[in-house]
């Protein structure tokens, strides 16, 4: 399959494939009303049988093993692993939590790449593709290829997310000016509604562009499966872009509370007015996932860096990182499917 065909296959995935199931879901919702049931202690949730890996609680040897066994791509001096959600790439330890760089040497040895160089990785909260090169020479060339391909729109990054809410438009492109502000005591990403050329030039504000596509949705549970294609990387941009659609990513405990319900209508509130703390899930959705209120703060962010497409002179690169176990379980519990 050619590079353009691959892009067409994934970027044009449509909810049309799921129209009959959506119609039945709508009909069931209409007939059932707003009926609600409590979580059953006998039913499984995403935490059953170690479905969620809590990287803050596993030891060094287990983390190394997880990463070494996560190889998703290996060709021409390029290697890709799949990072679990919650694993920071670097930074100071908090409560003894390890980062990717803390175990980097052992991981590189474990995949028989002792001189491996890290090219890119998703943020701490997200899961998915960690791109590596065998050595510095390969890394420098790969980085140049990615930069050159980006100028020609020939590098594409696909993220898959489970979200609370259904976007009004099922396909589109969002352009937002984003910046960083102190909210409470933490640095957070915010929308800059009055960005100036000066702030952009000083890099205080960043122009961001994200294409998105709803792959499936569930009217009864007010949830959806979407793909997002960010043009460039910016801290937490996909979480903020999702809230601007009056939705939130499942497991987003940083930005989800910027979307509030007023008389049953979702509204975006000032970040400084949004409460901090765990995501607040609708009772019906929480019950469908068999989650108690105490379990919700443990939900990982359901944002997965799923695919990388790169056109380069030495041969195209197409990396796919399988969805985590908990992600697939959540899809099943919410009755959402990837289009075929």
């Amino acid at each position: 399959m050619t590079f353009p065909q691959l892009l067409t296959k994934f970027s044009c995935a449509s909810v049309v494939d799921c129209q009959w199931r959506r119609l039945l879901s709508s009909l069931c919702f209409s007939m059932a009303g707003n009926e609600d049931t409590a979580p059953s202690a006998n039913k499984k949730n995403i935490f059953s049988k170690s479905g969620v890996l809590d990287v803050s609680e596993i030891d060094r040897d287990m983390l190394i093993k997880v990463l070494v066994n996560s190889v998703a791509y290996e060709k021409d001096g390029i290697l890709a692993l799949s990072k679990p959600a919650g694993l920071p790439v670097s930074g100071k330890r908090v409560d003894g939590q390890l980062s990717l760089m803390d175990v980097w040497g052992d991981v590189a040895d474990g995949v028989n790449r002792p001189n491996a160089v890290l090219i890119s990785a998703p943020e701490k909260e997200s899961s998915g593709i960690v791109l590596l090169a065998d050595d510095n020479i390969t890394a420098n060339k790969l980085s140049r290829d990615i930069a050159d391909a980006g100028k020609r729109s020939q590098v594409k990054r696909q993220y898959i997310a489970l979200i609370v809410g259904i976007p009004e438009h099922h396909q589109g492109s969002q352009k937002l000016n984003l910046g960083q502000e102190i909210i409470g005591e933490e640095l957070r990403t915010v929308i800059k509604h009055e960005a100036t050329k000066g702030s952009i030039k000083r890099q205080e504000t960043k122009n961001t562009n994200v294409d998105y596509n709803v792959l499936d949705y569930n009217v009864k549970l007010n949830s959806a499966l979407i793909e997002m294609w960010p043009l460039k990387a910016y801290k937490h941009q996909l979480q903020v872009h999702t809230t601007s659609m009056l939705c939130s990513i499942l497991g987003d405990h940083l930005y989800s509370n910027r979307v509030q319900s007023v008389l049953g209508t979702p509204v975006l509130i000032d970040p400084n007015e949004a409460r901090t703390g765990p995501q607040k899930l609708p009772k019906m959705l929480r019950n469908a996932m068999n989650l108690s209120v105490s379990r919700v703060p443990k939900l990982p962010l359901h944002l997965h860096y799923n695919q990388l497409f790169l056109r380069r002179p030495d041969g195209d690169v197409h990396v796919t990182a399988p969805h985590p176990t908990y992600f697939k379980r959540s899809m099943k519990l919410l009755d959402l499917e990837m289009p075929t």
Side-chain angles (χ1 to χ4, degrees):
M1 187 175 291
T2 66
F3 184 78
Q5 287 173 328
L6 281 170
L7 293 184
T8 301
K9 175 181 178 182
F10 289 97
S11 64
C12 294
S14 172
V15 293
V16 172
D17 296 332
C18 307
Q19 59 183 340
W20 285 109
R21 191 162 61 79
R22 295 203 318 273
L23 178 59
L24 289 173
S25 177
S26 300
L27 289 173
C28 291
F29 180 57
S30 299
M31 291 185 290
N34 200 27
E35 195 173 288
D36 198 6
T37 56
S40 170
N42 297 322
K43 292 183 178 180
K44 294 180 179 180
N45 57 39
I46 65 171
F47 296 96
S48 303
K49 295 183 179 179
S50 303
V52 175
L53 177 67
D54 190 342
V55 295
S56 67
E57 296 183 357
I58 63 175
D59 62 27
R60 180 185 182 89
D61 291 340
M62 178 58 71
L63 179 58
I64 294 169
K65 182 178 179 180
V66 167
L67 292 168
V68 169
N69 291 334
S70 72
V71 175
Y73 181 91
E74 190 174 9
K75 185 178 179 181
D76 298 331
I78 301 172
L79 185 73
L81 309 178
S82 186
K83 181 185 83 67
L87 178 67
V89 176
S90 60
K92 294 182 179 179
R93 293 191 187 185
V94 178
D95 297 327
Q97 181 180 359
L98 295 167
S99 70
L100 177 60
M101 297 312 297
D102 286 332
V103 297
W104 184 249
D106 292 312
V107 172
D109 288 340
V111 294
N112 298 315
R113 301 290 197 285
N115 299 313
V117 178
L118 176 66
I119 302 296
S120 64
E123 295 168 336
K124 171 186 175 180
E125 296 81 9
S126 307
S127 59
I129 297 171
V130 176
L131 192 64
L132 323 170
D134 274 357
D135 49 45
N136 283 317
I137 294 176
T138 307
N140 291 335
K141 187 176 188 311
L142 180 57
S143 295
R144 288 195 302 270
D145 288 344
I146 292 174
D148 292 342
K151 297 175 183 177
R152 303 189 302 270
S153 298
Q154 292 183 333
V155 55
K156 303 290 184 182
R157 301 170 182 87
Q158 181 207 46
Y159 285 76
I160 300 291
L162 281 175
I163 65 173
V164 181
I166 302 172
E168 179 181 0
H169 303 289
H170 289 170
Q171 188 175 44
S173 180
Q174 276 201 324
K175 296 181 180 180
L176 295 177
N177 293 318
L178 301 180
Q180 300 278 299
E181 287 186 10
I182 298 293
I183 306 293
E185 297 180 353
E186 301 292 337
L187 191 64
R188 294 285 182 258
T189 298
V190 297
I191 300 172
K192 295 289 189 178
H193 296 287
E194 299 180 356
T196 64
K197 291 182 179 179
S199 67
I200 294 174
K201 186 176 181 180
R202 293 190 299 272
Q203 297 186 341
E204 297 169 355
T205 305
K206 178 83 170 183
N207 290 321
T208 64
N209 191 333
V210 175
D211 294 331
Y212 72 92
N213 185 29
V214 176
L215 302 176
D216 194 9
Y217 63 87
N218 185 321
V219 173
K220 182 178 179 180
L221 297 177
N222 191 32
S223 58
L225 177 70
I226 69 171
E227 63 177 351
M228 291 186 279
W229 303 80
L231 187 62
K232 294 182 180 179
Y234 189 80
K235 185 176 179 65
H236 296 161
Q237 67 168 322
L238 297 182
Q239 292 94 309
V240 176
H241 272 267
T242 303
T243 62
S244 73
M245 293 188 279
L246 301 179
C247 303
S248 62
I249 300 176
L250 183 64
D252 180 4
H253 306 300
L254 297 179
Y255 298 92
S256 62
N257 294 319
R258 294 182 184 181
V259 180
Q260 297 291 321
S261 179
V262 177
L263 298 177
T265 300
V267 296
L268 191 64
I269 65 174
D270 187 314
N272 290 284
E273 300 299 326
R275 69 175 179 84
T276 58
Q279 183 176 31
K280 185 176 180 181
L281 294 179
K283 187 175 181 180
M284 185 175 286
L285 186 146
R286 180 167 53 79
N287 289 345
M289 296 188 69
N290 302 310
L291 293 172
S292 63
V293 174
S294 62
R295 276 292 198 178
V296 173
K298 290 289 187 179
L299 274 177
L301 185 69
H302 284 59
L303 177 63
H304 181 65
Y305 182 8
N306 188 51
Q307 301 201 57
L308 167 68
F309 303 95
L310 171 65
R311 171 65 62 83
R312 62 199 294 260
D314 294 342
D316 297 345
V317 175
H318 174 207
V319 182
T320 300
H323 298 91
T325 300
Y326 68 82
F327 198 108
K328 292 183 286 188
R329 288 182 181 174
S330 294
M331 287 176 57
K332 185 175 182 179
L333 290 167
L334 296 176
D335 194 23
L336 296 169
E337 297 178 354
M338 289 289 293
T340 56

